Amino acid sequence: MTYLSHLECGNCSARHESDRLQSRCVSCSGPLLARYRLTDALPSLEEVLSRPPGQHRFHEVLPNATGPDTPTLGEGATPLLAAPGLGPAVWVKDEAQNPTGSFKARGMAVALARSVELGATRFHLPSNGNAGAAAAAYAALHGVTVTVTMPANTPEVLVAMAELSGAEVIGVEGTIADAAALLADRPGFSLATLAEPYRIEGKKMMGYEVVWDLGRLPDVIFYPTGGGTGLVGMVKAFDEMEQLGWIDSERPKMVAVQSDACAPIVRAFNSGAVEADPWDDPGETKAFGLRVPSAIGDRLMLSGLRDTGGTAVAVSEDELARGTRRLASATGILGSPEGGACLAAYEILLDDGWLTQRDEVVLFNTGAAANYH
């Protein structure tokens, strides 16, 4: 059902076994990445596209032993929408149409299923909101328990969604870093961002789907970046597709979008650093998914941006608010502030000549507007 081979540290390349629960690298504490036997006789692109759409359409490059029979809430296969109101070659990948209203469903669908296969029954994670709601929903699907710590200013609707699905939710003063600290000694398996290897596998399917939807690679991808699993996952997906012979060595330019209230990746990218120092005293932002002062996957994000010829952009609260309104008024997509931040970043780079209206661009809207109130 799966061609999963082993796990590999994204920082030091140390090999780890994939037939047992693993968290981070035992050698350097870096994030672990799933590796597959891509030289084996995998299905052709034509065969994959003949299958029903959904997260497990190409189950051979997902880790779940149950393959296409992996329990699902219908995640994946989100629409790639033409957005002529934003530009002649602009598309919006609308992740709001996932279960629980955000792209976080993709990662939790894969991670919960694989961890349960390997024997875990009790989970925990810190969350700015969307990941906690998704973890609770998939924990309910699998009949296991999850504890979520959330900053006290998390939107009430996301707290309610997690509690409704049966999660234990604990509010914490401060940021997601403070929420994580509360879980340091708590029993159970951590589903925190890149603290285990499989959330990224669900997120990488966004990269596969962009190619399936367009029939080609776009020129540029704008992605709102907090913990960064989506960005790292898509870079990983394109590398896998090249090994499969589906694409060549060209890559879309990846653009990481952050809030100027908390922009550690933008600062590190602009300074030429290979790691991102933690952002002291993050400011408030409506794009709460971007309020991540320190990300485990910083090295992977920065190398992904540079290897693709991409860049990183920080936007102000006014800019992301205008972007969110414009996304709705020009396309009808009721998106998240993170989606609005991507549109704001696109217009900034268009104005300064980094790209042109001839460039084919995919903007990611990662959540539903209703989750933010």
Side-chain angles (χ1 to χ4, degrees):
M1 290 295 187
T2 175
Y3 283 64
L4 180 64
S5 169
H6 62 280
L7 304 174
E8 179 181 280
C9 177
N11 289 351
C12 74
S13 300
R15 183 177 175 129
H16 296 66
E17 297 302 315
S18 60
D19 61 352
R20 66 199 70 177
L21 285 170
Q22 301 274 17
S23 52
R24 293 164 66 177
C25 176
V26 297
S27 297
C28 73
S29 295
L32 296 179
L33 303 174
R35 300 302 187 198
Y36 299 86
R37 300 186 299 276
L38 297 176
T39 56
D40 289 1
L42 270 75
S44 66
L45 175 58
E46 291 73 20
E47 180 179 342
V48 170
L49 292 179
S50 71
R51 297 171 177 174
Q55 180 90 337
H56 292 275
R57 186 181 218 178
F58 192 18
H59 55 82
E60 290 88 351
V61 295
L62 288 172
N64 308 104
T66 44
D69 298 322
T70 301
T72 181
L73 292 174
E75 63 285 342
T78 56
L80 183 68
L81 304 170
L86 303 178
V90 178
W91 302 82
V92 177
K93 184 71 166 161
D94 190 11
E95 292 295 299
Q97 298 192 41
N98 276 300
T100 70
S102 87
F103 74 126
K104 298 291 187 179
R106 291 180 178 273
M108 292 303 173
V110 174
L112 261 296
R114 181 60 180 161
S115 299
V116 169
E117 287 175 354
L118 295 174
T121 59
R122 188 174 182 181
F123 298 89
H124 57 73
L125 74 156
S127 171
N128 278 319
N130 278 317
Y138 286 92
L141 176 65
H142 289 278
V144 296
T145 62
V146 63
T147 297
V148 185
T149 52
M150 294 182 178
N153 62 354
T154 300
E156 292 182 7
V157 65
L158 289 166
V159 175
M161 287 167 66
E163 291 177 336
L164 187 63
S165 294
E168 177 189 19
V169 180
I170 302 172
V172 180
E173 293 298 327
T175 69
I176 192 171
D178 300 297
L182 188 66
L183 294 170
D185 299 318
R186 193 177 186 94
F189 187 69
S190 176
L191 291 171
T193 300
L194 290 174
E196 55 76 49
Y198 299 120
R199 280 177 64 180
I200 192 173
E201 295 303 288
K203 302 283 187 64
K204 82 179 181 187
M205 300 313 292
M206 294 186 294
Y208 278 96
E209 287 184 16
V210 165
V211 174
W212 295 340
D213 294 341
L214 274 182
R216 58 189 176 276
L217 290 169
D219 296 311
V220 187
I221 292 176
F222 284 77
Y223 194 78
T225 305
T229 52
L231 190 153
V232 175
M234 283 191 281
V235 170
K236 184 176 188 288
F238 299 140
D239 288 345
E240 290 176 358
M241 283 189 272
E242 182 181 357
Q243 293 178 63
L244 291 165
W246 291 4
I247 61 174
D248 59 22
S249 60
E250 294 296 316
R251 292 291 185 273
K253 294 178 180 179
M254 304 299 292
V255 179
V257 182
Q258 298 198 296
S259 163
D260 65 5
C262 185
I265 299 302
V266 176
R267 181 177 63 188
F269 181 87
N270 289 337
S271 71
V274 297
E275 297 179 341
D277 291 332
W279 190 273
D280 294 331
D281 193 23
E284 293 295 325
T285 174
K286 293 185 183 300
F288 55 80
L290 303 183
R291 197 169 183 248
V292 180
S294 180
I296 295 170
D298 55 346
R299 293 171 64 96
L300 292 171
M301 282 187 274
L302 290 165
S303 64
L305 297 176
R306 293 178 177 130
D307 290 348
T308 62
T311 190
V313 180
V315 301
S316 70
E317 282 301 288
D318 285 345
E319 287 169 332
L320 72 84
R322 286 196 300 271
T324 306
R325 290 194 296 270
R326 179 157 153 70
L327 183 64
S329 63
T331 70
I333 297 170
L334 300 177
S336 62
E338 292 85 354
C342 283
L343 177 52
Y346 166 71
E347 294 182 337
I348 288 170
L349 293 185
L350 193 63
D351 288 343
D352 71 14
W354 191 86
L355 53 73
T356 74
Q357 290 200 346
R358 294 187 302 273
D359 292 310
E360 188 166 48
V361 169
V362 173
L363 309 176
F364 269 83
N365 174 49
T366 50
N371 285 7
Y372 291 73
H373 299 285

